[in-house]
Amino acid sequence: MFHSHLDSLNEEDLEDTYCSIEIQAAFILSSCVTFFGGLIILVFFRIILKIAKKWQSIKHSGAVLKLFSSGRSGLNPLRRFYFYRVFHDRIELLLSAQTFVGQVLVILVFVLSIGSLIIYFINSTDLTGMCSTSEDRTLTVDLSFNAFFSFYFGLRFWAADDKIKFWLEMNSIVDIFTVPPTFISYYLKSNWLGFRFLRALRLLELPKILQILHVIKSSNSVKLSKLMSIVLSTWFTAAGFLHLVENSGDPWLKGRNSQSMSYFESIYLVTATMSTVGFGDVVAKTSLGRTFIVFFTLGSLILFANYIPEMVELFTNRRKYTKPYEAIKGKKFIVVCGNITIDSVTAFLRNFLRHRSGEINTEIVFLGEEPPSLELETLFKCNLSFTTFVCGSALKFEDLKRVSVESAEACLILANSLCSDLHAEDISNIMRVLSIKNYNSHTRVIIQILQSHNKAFLSKIPTWNCSAGDNIICFAELKLGFIAQGCLVPGLCTFLTTLFIEQNQKVFPKHSWQKYFLNSLKNKILTQRLSDAFTGMTFPEVCRLCFVKLHLMLIAIQHKSGFHNCRSLILNPPAQVKLDKDTLGFFIAESSQAVKRAFFYCSHCHKDVHNPELIEKCGCKTGSREELTGPAMVVVKSSTSCISECQDSAREQESSLSIASLKNRGVMVSDTPEDSDQLDSSGMFHWCRSTPLDKVVLKRTDKSKHEFRDHIVACVFGDAHSALVGLRNFVMPLRASNYTRQELKDIVFIGPLEYFHREWRFLRNFPQIYIMPGSALYTGDLHAVNIEQCSMCAVLAAPSKPLSSQILVDTENIMATLNIQSLRVSGPTQRPSEPEAKAVPTFSKHDGKRRYQQIPILTELKNPSNIHFIEQIGGLDGALKGASLHLSTSFSTGTVFSGNFLDSLLATAFYNYHVLELLQMLVTGGISSQMEQYLVKEKHYGFHESCATILSGRARCKLGLLSLDKTILSDIKPRKTFGQLFCGSLDNYGILCVGLYRVMDDGEHSLENKRFVITRPSNEFHLLPSDLVFCAIPFSTTCYKTEEIPYKLENVPSAQTLDDITNVMAMAPESPEQLPKVSPVAEKTSQHLSSRVYPS
């Protein structure tokens, strides 16, 4: 009885509360008729327009005549069309929010949409509002809002190019299903909620509004706002639909299965459904509601599983990576910015941490412009104890303040060497330097630069200071310098590279030569202050003592000039250079512990110690401080050494001493520039007057006119729009002044002529350069430059291009290598580069025979993983399978080079910038960072028409490759071991031997006597007659035998010419050797008989 009475009351309430089916149909039909009616009209007009255009094309001449037949301009259709387009463009510009009025309009529409949604929320709280005939206070306000929406809809419709597409847009559907029912409700005096919940979809415009108001700026903020707008709009819209169908019931049941559900309960039901919880206290009873729940559950799984966790991650990461770094007093840290990616950070950490393995006392703060990826975040977590990531930009002072740049030991800037726009990458990093220096001028900055000509911008920064530790690591300069050295001396680029790479991979050698090569990879360039016991001794004396007694190879020192209180690096100085107190020595050794022997050595306490491992710090207070007396020697410093003190007052005196010293060395110096070698203003490179490009361009048809012999061929890829490689960096080491004009080799470039038009202004003042327009992929061009007779063919990497795969960056290099390697030279084994012409002997052991040989080649790879292509082309079966480039056979033989190891120089420059300076001077032909800065300030950097002077800068050592039986090294007796050869060559000729280039033990059946590099052999390492020796050779020493010119002791160069001298590397000891023992007297004064023979 009670239930029947309650049901009768509910039916009466429903009749009074809810609108009738007719009223609901009026609201729904107003929207449906508007939508479908407008769509049909638009489709009809589209069809009519197409028919009219087709008819016009048939009657084209008459239509055009009619178009221009109107007498008055006001009736001219073209005139009307012009005003239509102008009005259309103005409306389109207004709606795009590019003007202030347009921004105000867009913001106003969004605010009114939110206001209309709020009115819907207010009306939904009162169930009687579902359909009420009484006067509603919000009805007038909502009507005025929708009137404005109608106006805005008209503007959008007018500006739309495709009307049908506009009609089907989401915002258009929202307006069509919300605006007409509002006018119907005002007419019927009944306020039915209907589809007004669709106004919640306007929340999707929230990110755009926040960007216009400059509330959000970063990409993460925009992404977070988009995700939030999608979730909120879906949430409110789904709740509105359930609220509608549950309170209205199923239409076919005339609402009999409806239930009273507030909008809050609808939101609760949607939330329970999205979270897949489903408590069951609030459920859908209508068929429409339950059907909607089925599909909404599937969609909410995707929405909730993807968007919500991503929102949480963005929100937490934003707070996590925006916290300022707290610098603790006394704790060292560095800041790393620029190209922060998983590859760059992995390479940096590997190289940075190996310098202080087990002694990590410097924290690394990475300043990245984007939040780290999942892989990068995992890497930071693995190194959490000494790494911190802060999201920000080095271009903003507030971000620099958050990482406490002013308290950092240094700020390191990483560059992306594989980017497609090298210039843009350099400029962005230079801007970071400007920002850091403007924030704090005392912050030390170490930057990676990709293109050498961009270095000039850094030297112009007022607060840039090389003497304070600011360093530039130029990839193009060093990379091309390494390749150039490999062209001058076969295998030298591999020899130098092994001194900077770190070998941690476990490898099991298959052949004996692999064992020798892998052992040599342990040697590195290290520096150490020398003991006071060496003070007053000459460099050869100290070098010999370190090698024999300490088992250390000393290759260079930092010498203090006599005229100026400055220090300069000198490679293999002669006997006139005597060591000062606290002299910095450069060694090739296996560990920093080994080179400490040179600091602990005491001539009093260690004179009877024969095991170098026992040389440790002694308690002697007088013996280690004993200084040897000797004649004072003044060494003149040239323009390549320290900078600030070398000004106009000493310039004339230095120039006169330079020419006089060259005369004393036996070099013929004429009074006229035409009769002497012309050098540039620094005296470091050979120079000539500017040569027009058309004078050096070769033609394939004129091969007989340019029969090149013993020349260098460089294959270049590029076009008129590609980034410049910087060929000047390749040419400068090949035109270094420590080689005479007769020793210079012709350089022939093969490549597109339009590319050389852009490079030529940097090359026009270098002598003996030629250009063959063409491609290394065409065999005819290779034969035209007589590649069969070249001493070396270098295949330079192509300029960076945007590619889908990094494996394809070396495609042109690999194909060119394949083309060149397919060529075979048939002829006698003796090549033009034999000792009769140069210091580099033949690679063949079978005299008088004729056989096929491959052309010597040096290929540059951008991606080291592509080494397996080169190994396959060369047919090198002895390669270490699965090994990296630096463990490959091609690398060990000096036929391939990759600049990826240059990333390690960033850590090297931070820990010991002297090593970087030594490397730069060595591979670039003698240019140091200090000299470069000086020449820029004095406007001498470059090559000018008036420059034709000879300076003492050319009197520096040069690197060479000498044979044991066809050069002056054959006179050294005994020379069974490397230690005997080292001491003999140093004592007799002042030549510093640093490594070997040995033939692989692959048997007589091999057509190619390939050689591999051995860095710093041990003292007792046995030599073979076929071995070639890497040496640092004094400038005026003749290496091949000449009976007519005896070796004279008085030909030793004067000290005034020892200002700028190149440097080489030394090697680590292995076991005691049978070397000539150093007597106690010799430990103090080792007589150095260095003979010099000068070319006629």
Side-chain angles (χ1 to χ4, degrees), residues 55-56 59-72 75-78 80:
W55 178 259
Q56 185 179 3
K59 304 293 183 179
H60 185 68
S61 59
V64 174
L65 181 63
K66 183 178 179 181
L67 188 64
F68 292 95
S69 63
S70 178
R72 294 180 296 174
L75 301 177
N76 193 332
L78 284 180
R80 292 197 301 269

Side-chain angles (χ1 to χ4, degrees), residues 411 413 415 425-437 445-466 470-475 477 929 932-933 936-937:
C411 184
I413 303 178
E425 179 73 8
D426 280 347
I427 294 303
S428 62
N429 286 335
I430 293 173
M431 292 299 295
R432 291 185 176 97
V433 175
L434 274 172
S435 177
I436 295 169
K437 287 294 186 179
V445 177
I446 305 175
I447 180 176
Q448 292 179 340
I449 288 292
L450 302 179
Q451 294 180 312
S452 58
H453 60 268
N454 290 324
K455 295 172 60 178
F457 295 106
L458 293 169
S459 61
K460 296 175 182 178
I461 299 177
T463 53
W464 182 267
N465 188 1
C466 291
D470 294 339
N471 288 106
I472 305 172
I473 301 175
C474 181
F475 279 29
E477 183 179 71
S929 59
E932 193 174 55
Q933 186 179 10
V936 169
K937 290 182 178 180

Side-chain angles (χ1 to χ4, degrees), residues 56 165 274 332 367 398 536 574 704 788 832 839 913 1078:
Q56 185 179 3
K165 183 179 179 181
M274 291 177 64
K332 297 180 180 180
L367 181 62
E398 55 269 23
S704 59
E788 300 86 353
Y913 67 91
V1078 183

